[in-house]
Amino acid sequence: MNTMKSMKTRKKMMVGGLAVALLAGCGSSDSASDTSTESSIDSSSTSPLETAGTADGSFNDADVMFAQMMIPHHEQAIEMSDIALDPQVGASEVVGNLAMRIKGAQDPEIDLMTSFLQTWGQPVAMDSSMDHSTMMSGMLSIEDLDTLSMARGEEFDRAWLAAMIEHHEGAIDMARDVLADGSNVDVRALAEQIIAAQQTEIDEMTALLG
C-alpha cells in the first residue's frame, strides 16, 4: 500500500495542477469542525478532482467513515489493476486498458479523500480496534487475490471482470450511503462522481463478459 509520504507527494503534485476550489459545505456538523467557508464558484460545474482537495466546511461521522473506508477500497482496486497489468497473467488488451483507466481514476481519488481527512483533523486509517470488513462490500480476501493472480489468459479476464464488477458495486453502495447520511458537499460531489463512473465501467465489464 502507499505510504503516507507517497500520499503527500502525490497530493502536492495534484495541487500544483489544480486551480479551482469547490463550494465548501455549510450547516451543522457531528464532528469537531465549526468552520464554514463559502465560495462564489458554481460547484455544479466543478468536479471534485478539479479542486485542490481541501474539503473545508461542515462534515459528520458518515463523511469521515466514507473517506476512511473508500481509501482502502480504492487501494484494492488499484492492486487488482496492477495484477491485470502484470504480463505474466496474459490479460487481453481490452482488460489491460480498462485496468489502466481504473487505476488512473482511483489513485487521485485516494489523494483527494486523504486530503479531506487531513483537513478535518481526522485519522486517515480506520480504527483498527473495530472490524470494518463487513462494511466494505465487494472487497476480495487475500486468498481471492492470490487465486486471481494465478489465473491466466481468458480465464483471468473473466475472473478479473467478475471480481471488479462486484468490487465496483460495493463502492457504489458505499457512495449511496454517504449521499444519504453525509453532510459535506465535497464528499457528496465525489460520491456522485464515483457512482456515475463506476456504473459506466460495470456496464462495460458486463458487456465484455457477455
Side-chain angles (χ1 to χ4, degrees):
M1 300 292 73
N2 295 329
T3 64
M4 284 301 297
K5 181 177 180 181
S6 63
M7 286 180 178
K8 291 178 181 177
T9 300
R10 290 197 308 272
K11 179 187 172 187
K12 289 179 181 178
M13 293 173 63
M14 183 172 69
V15 169
L18 304 173
V20 183
L22 277 174
L23 178 65
C26 58
S28 60
S29 169
D30 294 339
S31 300
S33 175
D34 298 323
T35 302
S36 178
T37 305
E38 294 184 353
S39 169
S40 60
I41 297 173
D42 180 6
S43 63
S44 64
S45 61
T46 306
S47 164
L49 298 185
E50 294 172 351
T51 76
T54 54
D56 298 323
S58 66
F59 67 95
N60 62 18
D61 289 343
D63 297 315
V64 173
M65 182 174 292
F66 170 78
Q68 288 178 338
M69 291 196 304
M70 192 64 82
I71 287 172
H73 202 274
H74 272 22
E75 286 175 339
Q76 186 174 87
I78 291 174
E79 183 178 3
M80 293 167 67
S81 296
D82 284 339
I83 293 173
L85 295 170
D86 183 348
Q88 293 187 8
V89 304
S92 66
E93 183 178 358
V94 172
V95 167
N97 288 338
L98 182 57
M100 290 180 64
R101 282 162 40 204
I102 290 172
K103 184 174 181 178
Q106 298 199 19
D107 195 43
E109 289 179 349
I110 290 173
D111 290 335
L112 185 63
M113 290 182 286
T114 299
S115 72
F116 287 173
L117 292 166
Q118 291 172 340
T119 298
W120 299 333
Q122 300 296 315
V124 173
M126 294 178 292
D127 183 355
S128 60
S129 67
M130 298 177 62
D131 181 11
H132 298 274
S133 59
T134 60
M135 303 173 70
M136 293 189 290
S137 59
M139 291 285 282
L140 275 66
S141 66
I142 295 175
E143 292 76 15
D144 291 335
L145 289 170
D146 288 342
T147 299
L148 181 63
S149 66
M150 295 299 293
R152 296 292 183 267
E154 184 178 349
E155 178 188 0
F156 172 82
D157 282 355
R158 297 190 67 82
W160 186 88
L161 289 167
M164 191 61 83
I165 287 172
E166 184 174 355
H167 200 270
H168 273 21
E169 289 172 341
I172 289 174
D173 287 343
M174 291 162 62
R176 286 175 175 158
D177 286 342
V178 80
L179 286 176
D181 301 325
S183 66
N184 185 271
V185 293
D186 294 347
V187 170
R188 293 178 65 83
L190 177 59
E192 290 170 350
Q193 178 172 300
I194 287 172
I195 292 171
Q198 297 204 18
Q199 185 59 57
T200 297
E201 290 167 353
I202 287 172
D203 294 342
E204 180 179 353
M205 291 186 287
T206 300
L208 289 173
L209 281 174

